[in-house]
Amino acid sequence: MHGIERHVIISLPIVLGVDLSITNEVVLVWLAAVITFSLVFLSCRRRGLVAVGVFENMFEGLIEYIENRIAREGIGSEGRTWAPFLLTLFFFILFGNLLGMVPMPSHFKAATANINVTAGLALIVFFATLAINIRHNGIFGFLRKFLPAGVPRWIAVMVIPIEIVSWLVRPLSLAIRLFANMVAGHALIVVFIGLLVQTVWFLRVIPLAGAVAMSCFELFVCFIQALIFTMLAGMYIREAVEVGH
Protein backbone atom coordinates (compact mmCIF):
# COMPACT_ATOMS: atom_id res chain seq x y z
CA MET A 1 0.00 0.00 0.00
CA HIS A 2 1.26 3.47 -0.92
CA GLY A 3 4.15 1.74 -2.73
CA ILE A 4 5.92 0.77 0.49
CA GLU A 5 6.26 -2.77 1.76
CA ARG A 6 6.82 -3.77 5.36
CA HIS A 7 10.24 -5.24 6.00
CA VAL A 8 12.22 -6.05 9.13
CA ILE A 9 15.29 -3.94 9.87
CA ILE A 10 16.28 -5.51 13.21
CA SER A 11 14.85 -8.90 14.13
CA LEU A 12 13.82 -9.25 17.78
CA PRO A 13 12.01 -12.06 19.64
CA ILE A 14 8.26 -12.42 20.03
CA VAL A 15 7.11 -11.67 23.60
CA LEU A 16 3.59 -12.62 24.71
CA GLY A 17 2.55 -12.93 21.08
CA VAL A 18 3.92 -9.48 20.16
CA ASP A 19 6.68 -9.28 17.56
CA LEU A 20 9.19 -6.74 18.90
CA SER A 21 11.16 -6.56 15.64
CA ILE A 22 11.99 -3.09 14.33
CA THR A 23 10.47 -2.59 10.89
CA ASN A 24 10.49 0.31 8.44
CA GLU A 25 7.00 1.23 9.72
CA VAL A 26 8.33 1.45 13.28
CA VAL A 27 11.06 3.78 12.01
CA LEU A 28 8.39 6.01 10.46
CA VAL A 29 6.66 6.26 13.85
CA TRP A 30 9.99 7.18 15.47
CA LEU A 31 10.58 9.73 12.73
CA ALA A 32 7.18 11.32 13.38
CA ALA A 33 8.05 11.53 17.09
CA VAL A 34 11.47 13.08 16.39
CA ILE A 35 9.97 15.64 13.99
CA THR A 36 7.27 16.50 16.53
CA PHE A 37 9.78 17.08 19.33
CA SER A 38 12.27 18.93 17.13
CA LEU A 39 9.86 21.36 15.49
CA VAL A 40 7.95 22.15 18.66
CA PHE A 41 11.23 22.64 20.54
CA LEU A 42 12.61 24.94 17.84
CA SER A 43 9.40 26.96 17.75
CA CYS A 44 9.33 27.45 21.54
CA ARG A 45 12.97 27.66 22.63
CA ARG A 46 13.20 31.40 22.00
CA ARG A 47 9.56 32.17 22.68
CA GLY A 48 9.12 35.69 23.99
CA LEU A 49 6.10 37.84 24.67
CA VAL A 50 5.56 38.18 20.93
CA ALA A 51 6.27 35.42 18.42
CA VAL A 52 8.70 36.36 15.63
CA GLY A 53 8.47 34.94 12.12
CA VAL A 54 5.95 32.80 10.27
CA PHE A 55 7.25 29.54 11.76
CA GLU A 56 6.89 30.61 15.41
CA ASN A 57 3.59 32.40 14.79
CA MET A 58 2.11 29.30 13.17
CA PHE A 59 3.09 27.05 16.07
CA GLU A 60 1.98 29.59 18.67
CA GLY A 61 -1.42 29.84 17.00
CA LEU A 62 -1.85 26.06 16.98
CA ILE A 63 -0.66 25.70 20.58
CA GLU A 64 -2.94 28.46 21.82
CA TYR A 65 -5.94 27.02 19.98
CA ILE A 66 -5.47 23.52 21.41
CA GLU A 67 -4.66 24.83 24.88
CA ASN A 68 -7.44 27.42 25.11
CA ARG A 69 -10.31 26.06 23.02
CA ILE A 70 -9.98 22.29 23.42
CA ALA A 71 -8.24 21.97 26.80
CA ARG A 72 -9.29 24.89 29.01
CA GLU A 73 -12.66 25.79 27.50
CA GLY A 74 -13.54 22.25 26.43
CA ILE A 75 -12.51 20.33 29.55
CA GLY A 76 -12.89 23.01 32.19
CA SER A 77 -11.05 23.28 35.50
CA GLU A 78 -8.70 20.37 34.69
CA GLY A 79 -8.07 21.51 31.13
CA ARG A 80 -4.68 22.99 31.92
CA THR A 81 -3.55 19.64 33.35
CA TRP A 82 -4.44 17.82 30.14
CA ALA A 83 -3.23 20.46 27.68
CA PRO A 84 0.28 18.91 27.25
CA PHE A 85 -1.29 15.51 26.53
CA LEU A 86 -3.65 16.94 23.91
CA LEU A 87 -0.88 19.03 22.32
CA THR A 88 1.33 15.95 22.06
CA LEU A 89 -1.49 13.99 20.44
CA PHE A 90 -2.23 16.74 17.94
CA PHE A 91 1.32 17.40 16.76
CA PHE A 92 2.33 13.73 16.63
CA ILE A 93 -0.73 12.84 14.55
CA LEU A 94 -0.27 15.89 12.33
CA PHE A 95 3.36 15.15 11.51
CA GLY A 96 2.62 11.43 11.26
CA ASN A 97 -0.04 12.29 8.67
CA LEU A 98 2.26 14.64 6.77
CA LEU A 99 4.92 11.95 6.31
CA GLY A 100 2.64 10.53 3.63
CA MET A 101 3.05 13.75 1.63
CA VAL A 102 6.78 13.17 1.11
CA PRO A 103 7.08 12.50 -2.67
CA MET A 104 8.92 9.20 -2.18
CA PRO A 105 6.13 6.57 -1.98
CA SER A 106 8.66 3.72 -2.06
CA HIS A 107 10.12 4.87 1.29
CA PHE A 108 7.53 7.07 2.99
CA LYS A 109 3.90 6.76 3.94
CA ALA A 110 1.82 8.33 6.68
CA ALA A 111 2.72 6.79 10.04
CA THR A 112 -1.00 6.94 10.80
CA ALA A 113 -1.80 4.85 7.71
CA ASN A 114 -1.04 1.85 9.93
CA ILE A 115 -3.99 0.57 11.96
CA ASN A 116 -1.62 -0.52 14.75
CA VAL A 117 -0.47 3.08 15.22
CA THR A 118 -3.96 4.58 15.26
CA ALA A 119 -5.19 1.77 17.52
CA GLY A 120 -2.33 2.46 19.91
CA LEU A 121 -3.21 6.16 20.05
CA ALA A 122 -6.88 5.35 20.56
CA LEU A 123 -6.09 2.93 23.39
CA ILE A 124 -3.96 5.58 25.12
CA VAL A 125 -6.97 7.93 25.08
CA PHE A 126 -9.28 5.09 26.19
CA PHE A 127 -7.19 4.08 29.21
CA ALA A 128 -6.57 7.73 30.13
CA THR A 129 -10.32 8.40 30.29
CA LEU A 130 -10.84 5.13 32.17
CA ALA A 131 -8.26 6.20 34.78
CA ILE A 132 -9.92 9.63 35.12
CA ASN A 133 -13.34 8.05 35.63
CA ILE A 134 -12.06 5.70 38.33
CA ARG A 135 -10.06 8.45 40.03
CA HIS A 136 -13.10 10.74 40.26
CA ASN A 137 -15.75 8.15 41.05
CA GLY A 138 -14.15 4.94 42.21
CA ILE A 139 -14.78 1.66 40.43
CA PHE A 140 -18.40 1.27 41.56
CA GLY A 141 -19.20 4.91 40.88
CA PHE A 142 -17.79 4.51 37.38
CA LEU A 143 -19.88 1.37 36.75
CA ARG A 144 -23.03 3.19 37.90
CA LYS A 145 -22.68 5.65 35.01
CA PHE A 146 -23.82 2.91 32.63
CA LEU A 147 -27.25 3.03 34.23
CA PRO A 148 -28.84 6.48 33.71
CA ALA A 149 -30.73 7.82 36.70
CA GLY A 150 -34.45 7.15 36.76
CA VAL A 151 -34.40 4.25 34.30
CA PRO A 152 -36.78 1.42 35.33
CA ARG A 153 -35.17 -1.93 36.07
CA TRP A 154 -36.90 -3.72 33.20
CA ILE A 155 -35.46 -1.20 30.76
CA ALA A 156 -32.05 -1.26 32.45
CA VAL A 157 -31.55 -4.82 31.20
CA MET A 158 -31.43 -3.39 27.65
CA VAL A 159 -29.86 -0.01 28.42
CA ILE A 160 -26.80 -1.21 30.33
CA PRO A 161 -25.40 -3.45 27.54
CA ILE A 162 -25.97 -0.67 24.99
CA GLU A 163 -24.18 1.88 27.18
CA ILE A 164 -21.25 -0.47 27.77
CA VAL A 165 -20.87 -1.33 24.08
CA SER A 166 -21.09 2.33 23.03
CA TRP A 167 -18.33 3.17 25.50
CA LEU A 168 -16.12 0.26 24.44
CA VAL A 169 -16.33 1.08 20.71
CA ARG A 170 -14.84 4.54 21.22
CA PRO A 171 -11.23 3.44 20.66
CA LEU A 172 -12.33 1.44 17.62
CA SER A 173 -14.04 4.44 16.04
CA LEU A 174 -11.08 6.71 16.81
CA ALA A 175 -8.60 4.26 15.30
CA ILE A 176 -10.57 3.43 12.16
CA ARG A 177 -11.55 7.04 11.39
CA LEU A 178 -7.96 8.27 11.34
CA PHE A 179 -6.57 5.17 9.63
CA ALA A 180 -9.21 5.09 6.88
CA ASN A 181 -8.87 8.77 6.03
CA MET A 182 -5.09 8.56 5.74
CA VAL A 183 -5.15 5.40 3.64
CA ALA A 184 -7.87 6.62 1.27
CA GLY A 185 -6.40 10.07 0.60
CA HIS A 186 -2.83 8.94 -0.02
CA ALA A 187 -4.01 6.00 -2.12
CA LEU A 188 -5.84 8.37 -4.47
CA ILE A 189 -2.68 10.45 -4.89
CA VAL A 190 -0.72 7.31 -5.81
CA VAL A 191 -3.44 6.38 -8.34
CA PHE A 192 -3.18 9.79 -10.03
CA ILE A 193 0.62 9.52 -10.14
CA GLY A 194 0.30 6.07 -11.70
CA LEU A 195 -2.07 7.42 -14.35
CA LEU A 196 0.36 10.26 -15.00
CA VAL A 197 3.10 7.76 -15.86
CA GLN A 198 0.93 5.49 -18.00
CA THR A 199 -1.14 8.09 -19.89
CA VAL A 200 -0.09 9.35 -23.33
CA TRP A 201 1.80 12.63 -23.13
CA PHE A 202 -0.95 14.94 -24.46
CA LEU A 203 -3.42 13.71 -21.81
CA ARG A 204 -1.03 13.79 -18.84
CA VAL A 205 -2.29 17.20 -17.78
CA ILE A 206 -5.50 15.53 -16.52
CA PRO A 207 -3.96 13.13 -13.95
CA LEU A 208 -1.37 15.81 -13.12
CA ALA A 209 -4.13 18.28 -12.24
CA GLY A 210 -5.86 15.54 -10.25
CA ALA A 211 -2.68 14.71 -8.32
CA VAL A 212 -2.02 18.37 -7.50
CA ALA A 213 -5.63 19.01 -6.43
CA MET A 214 -5.71 15.83 -4.34
CA SER A 215 -2.37 16.70 -2.72
CA CYS A 216 -3.66 20.12 -1.69
CA PHE A 217 -6.84 18.59 -0.32
CA GLU A 218 -4.83 15.91 1.50
CA LEU A 219 -2.78 18.58 3.29
CA PHE A 220 -6.07 19.93 4.61
CA VAL A 221 -7.21 16.41 5.59
CA CYS A 222 -3.93 15.78 7.46
CA PHE A 223 -4.60 18.83 9.62
CA ILE A 224 -8.33 18.24 10.08
CA GLN A 225 -7.92 14.59 11.08
CA ALA A 226 -5.31 15.50 13.70
CA LEU A 227 -7.65 18.19 15.03
CA ILE A 228 -10.70 15.89 15.07
CA PHE A 229 -8.82 13.15 16.94
CA THR A 230 -7.62 15.70 19.51
CA MET A 231 -11.07 17.26 19.89
CA LEU A 232 -12.69 13.87 20.46
CA ALA A 233 -10.01 13.00 23.02
CA GLY A 234 -10.78 16.29 24.77
CA MET A 235 -14.51 15.52 24.74
CA TYR A 236 -13.96 12.09 26.29
CA ILE A 237 -11.73 13.60 28.99
CA ARG A 238 -14.32 16.30 29.72
CA GLU A 239 -17.04 13.69 30.06
CA ALA A 240 -14.87 11.69 32.46
CA VAL A 241 -14.11 14.78 34.54
CA GLU A 242 -17.74 15.91 34.67
CA VAL A 243 -18.88 12.56 36.03
CA GLY A 244 -16.95 13.29 39.20
CA HIS A 245 -18.58 16.65 39.87
Side-chain angles (χ1 to χ4, degrees):
M1 190 173 292
H2 303 297
I4 181 173
E5 295 182 0
R6 180 182 182 274
H7 61 269
V8 176
I9 298 175
I10 300 177
S11 182
L12 295 175
I14 297 176
V15 178
L16 298 177
V18 178
D19 188 355
L20 300 179
S21 298
I22 298 174
T23 67
N24 55 326
E25 293 181 331
V26 173
V27 173
L28 285 174
V29 174
W30 290 351
L31 181 59
V34 169
I35 292 172
T36 300
F37 174 81
S38 301
L39 292 183
V40 174
F41 175 76
L42 289 174
S43 68
C44 298
R45 67 190 179 99
R46 292 182 296 182
R47 189 176 180 185
L49 294 177
V50 179
V52 179
V54 176
F55 181 72
E56 291 186 5
N57 273 284
M58 178 183 68
F59 272 89
E60 182 174 329
L62 290 173
I63 291 171
E64 287 185 353
Y65 181 85
I66 301 296
E67 186 175 3
N68 294 331
R69 294 299 181 89
I70 299 180
R72 295 188 179 183
E73 294 181 13
I75 297 176
S77 60
E78 294 197 16
R80 187 173 183 178
T81 302
W82 289 98
F85 173 71
L86 295 174
L87 284 166
T88 303
L89 268 182
F90 173 77
F91 282 113
F92 175 78
I93 294 172
L94 175 61
F95 294 127
N97 293 347
L98 291 174
L99 282 178
M101 302 304 297
V102 178
M104 295 177 64
S106 60
H107 293 82
F108 287 90
K109 73 172 184 177
T112 47
N114 185 329
I115 189 64
N116 296 304
V117 175
T118 60
L121 292 169
L123 286 174
I124 290 172
V125 174
F126 176 79
F127 285 114
T129 55
L130 177 62
I132 296 170
N133 271 294
I134 294 176
R135 185 185 69 185
H136 280 265
N137 305 277
I139 295 177
F140 294 107
F142 166 61
L143 293 176
R144 280 196 295 270
K145 74 170 282 187
F146 295 109
L147 178 61
V151 175
R153 291 184 178 181
W154 65 275
I155 297 180
V157 176
M158 295 180 291
V159 171
I160 291 176
I162 293 174
E163 290 289 328
I164 292 174
V165 170
S166 65
W167 199 79
L168 290 177
V169 298
R170 286 180 177 181
L172 181 64
S173 65
L174 278 176
I176 292 178
R177 180 186 292 108
L178 179 57
F179 165 73
N181 277 280
M182 289 302 101
V183 169
H186 294 306
L188 283 175
I189 294 175
V190 172
V191 169
F192 279 120
I193 293 174
L195 291 174
L196 179 62
V197 174
Q198 298 176 9
T199 306
V200 293
W201 66 269
F202 58 86
L203 291 178
R204 287 180 180 175
V205 66
I206 298 175
L208 176 61
V212 171
M214 194 64 208
S215 296
C216 294
F217 179 71
E218 193 63 14
L219 286 172
F220 174 73
V221 171
C222 287
F223 173 81
I224 288 298
Q225 287 304 314
L227 186 61
I228 289 174
F229 194 102
T230 307
M231 290 178 67
L232 289 173
M235 288 173 57
Y236 296 153
I237 293 171
R238 179 189 66 191
E239 180 185 280
V241 170
E242 287 178 345
V243 172
H245 292 305

Short mmCIF file of all heavy atoms in Angstrom, two decimals, residues 71-72 75-83 132 135-136 237 241 245:
data_model
loop_
_atom_site.label_atom_id
_atom_site.label_comp_id
_atom_site.label_asym_id
_atom_site.label_seq_id
_atom_site.Cartn_x
_atom_site.Cartn_y
_atom_site.Cartn_z
N ALA A 71 -8.59 22.38 25.43
CA ALA A 71 -8.24 21.97 26.80
C ALA A 71 -8.98 22.78 27.85
O ALA A 71 -9.80 22.25 28.60
CB ALA A 71 -6.73 22.09 26.99
N ARG A 72 -8.73 24.09 27.91
CA ARG A 72 -9.29 24.89 29.01
C ARG A 72 -10.79 25.11 28.86
O ARG A 72 -11.55 24.88 29.81
CB ARG A 72 -8.56 26.23 29.08
CG ARG A 72 -7.09 26.08 29.45
CD ARG A 72 -6.44 27.42 29.70
NE ARG A 72 -5.03 27.27 30.08
CZ ARG A 72 -4.23 28.27 30.41
NH1 ARG A 72 -4.69 29.50 30.41
NH2 ARG A 72 -2.97 28.04 30.73
N ILE A 75 -12.53 21.24 28.40
CA ILE A 75 -12.51 20.33 29.55
C ILE A 75 -12.93 21.03 30.83
O ILE A 75 -13.62 20.47 31.67
CB ILE A 75 -11.11 19.70 29.71
CG1 ILE A 75 -10.78 18.87 28.47
CG2 ILE A 75 -11.02 18.86 30.96
CD1 ILE A 75 -9.39 18.28 28.48
N GLY A 76 -12.51 22.28 30.99
CA GLY A 76 -12.89 23.01 32.19
C GLY A 76 -11.74 23.18 33.16
O GLY A 76 -10.61 23.43 32.76
N SER A 77 -12.02 22.98 34.45
CA SER A 77 -11.05 23.28 35.50
C SER A 77 -9.78 22.44 35.38
O SER A 77 -8.70 22.87 35.79
CB SER A 77 -11.68 23.06 36.88
OG SER A 77 -12.11 21.71 37.03
N GLU A 78 -9.87 21.23 34.84
CA GLU A 78 -8.70 20.37 34.69
C GLU A 78 -8.08 20.45 33.30
O GLU A 78 -7.19 19.67 32.96
CB GLU A 78 -9.06 18.92 35.01
CG GLU A 78 -9.44 18.70 36.47
CD GLU A 78 -9.38 17.24 36.86
OE1 GLU A 78 -8.77 16.44 36.11
OE2 GLU A 78 -9.94 16.90 37.91
N GLY A 79 -8.56 21.39 32.50
CA GLY A 79 -8.07 21.51 31.13
C GLY A 79 -6.59 21.80 31.05
O GLY A 79 -5.88 21.26 30.18
N ARG A 80 -6.10 22.64 31.94
CA ARG A 80 -4.68 22.99 31.92
C ARG A 80 -3.81 21.76 32.19
O ARG A 80 -2.72 21.63 31.63
CB ARG A 80 -4.40 24.07 32.96
CG ARG A 80 -2.99 24.62 32.90
CD ARG A 80 -2.82 25.81 33.81
NE ARG A 80 -1.49 26.38 33.70
CZ ARG A 80 -1.08 27.45 34.36
NH1 ARG A 80 -1.91 28.08 35.18
NH2 ARG A 80 0.15 27.91 34.21
N THR A 81 -4.29 20.86 33.03
CA THR A 81 -3.55 19.64 33.35
C THR A 81 -3.39 18.76 32.12
O THR A 81 -2.34 18.14 31.90
CB THR A 81 -4.26 18.85 34.46
OG1 THR A 81 -4.40 19.68 35.61
CG2 THR A 81 -3.50 17.59 34.81
N TRP A 82 -4.44 18.71 31.29
CA TRP A 82 -4.44 17.82 30.14
C TRP A 82 -3.99 18.47 28.85
O TRP A 82 -3.90 17.81 27.81
CB TRP A 82 -5.84 17.22 29.96
CG TRP A 82 -6.15 16.23 31.03
CD1 TRP A 82 -6.87 16.45 32.17
CD2 TRP A 82 -5.71 14.88 31.09
NE1 TRP A 82 -6.93 15.31 32.94
CE2 TRP A 82 -6.22 14.32 32.29
CE3 TRP A 82 -4.95 14.07 30.25
CZ2 TRP A 82 -5.99 13.01 32.67
CZ3 TRP A 82 -4.72 12.76 30.62
CH2 TRP A 82 -5.22 12.25 31.81
N ALA A 83 -3.68 19.76 28.89
CA ALA A 83 -3.23 20.46 27.68
C ALA A 83 -1.97 19.85 27.07
O ALA A 83 -1.91 19.65 25.85
CB ALA A 83 -3.02 21.95 27.98
N ILE A 132 -9.28 8.41 34.60
CA ILE A 132 -9.92 9.63 35.12
C ILE A 132 -11.25 9.28 35.77
O ILE A 132 -11.58 9.76 36.86
CB ILE A 132 -10.13 10.66 33.99
CG1 ILE A 132 -8.80 11.12 33.42
CG2 ILE A 132 -10.91 11.87 34.52
CD1 ILE A 132 -8.94 11.94 32.16
N ARG A 135 -10.62 7.53 39.04
CA ARG A 135 -10.06 8.45 40.03
C ARG A 135 -11.14 9.36 40.62
O ARG A 135 -11.14 9.65 41.82
CB ARG A 135 -8.96 9.31 39.40
CG ARG A 135 -8.25 10.22 40.39
CD ARG A 135 -7.27 11.13 39.68
NE ARG A 135 -7.97 12.12 38.87
CZ ARG A 135 -7.35 12.99 38.07
NH1 ARG A 135 -6.04 12.95 37.94
NH2 ARG A 135 -8.05 13.86 37.37
N HIS A 136 -12.07 9.81 39.80
CA HIS A 136 -13.10 10.74 40.26
C HIS A 136 -14.27 10.03 40.96
O HIS A 136 -14.92 10.64 41.80
CB HIS A 136 -13.64 11.55 39.08
CG HIS A 136 -12.77 12.69 38.68
ND1 HIS A 136 -12.97 13.97 39.12
CD2 HIS A 136 -11.67 12.74 37.89
CE1 HIS A 136 -12.04 14.77 38.62
NE2 HIS A 136 -11.24 14.03 37.86
N ILE A 237 -12.32 13.21 27.70
CA ILE A 237 -11.73 13.60 28.99
C ILE A 237 -12.70 14.49 29.77
O ILE A 237 -12.88 14.34 30.97
CB ILE A 237 -10.38 14.31 28.78
CG1 ILE A 237 -9.36 13.32 28.23
CG2 ILE A 237 -9.87 14.91 30.08
CD1 ILE A 237 -8.05 13.96 27.79
N VAL A 241 -14.27 13.82 33.45
CA VAL A 241 -14.11 14.78 34.54
C VAL A 241 -15.45 15.21 35.10
O VAL A 241 -15.64 15.31 36.31
CB VAL A 241 -13.32 16.01 34.06
CG1 VAL A 241 -13.34 17.12 35.11
CG2 VAL A 241 -11.87 15.64 33.74
N HIS A 245 -18.11 15.42 39.22
CA HIS A 245 -18.58 16.65 39.87
C HIS A 245 -20.04 16.56 40.27
O HIS A 245 -20.82 15.92 39.60
CB HIS A 245 -18.39 17.85 38.93
CG HIS A 245 -16.95 18.17 38.70
ND1 HIS A 245 -16.06 18.41 39.71
CD2 HIS A 245 -16.24 18.26 37.54
CE1 HIS A 245 -14.86 18.66 39.22
NE2 HIS A 245 -14.95 18.58 37.91
#
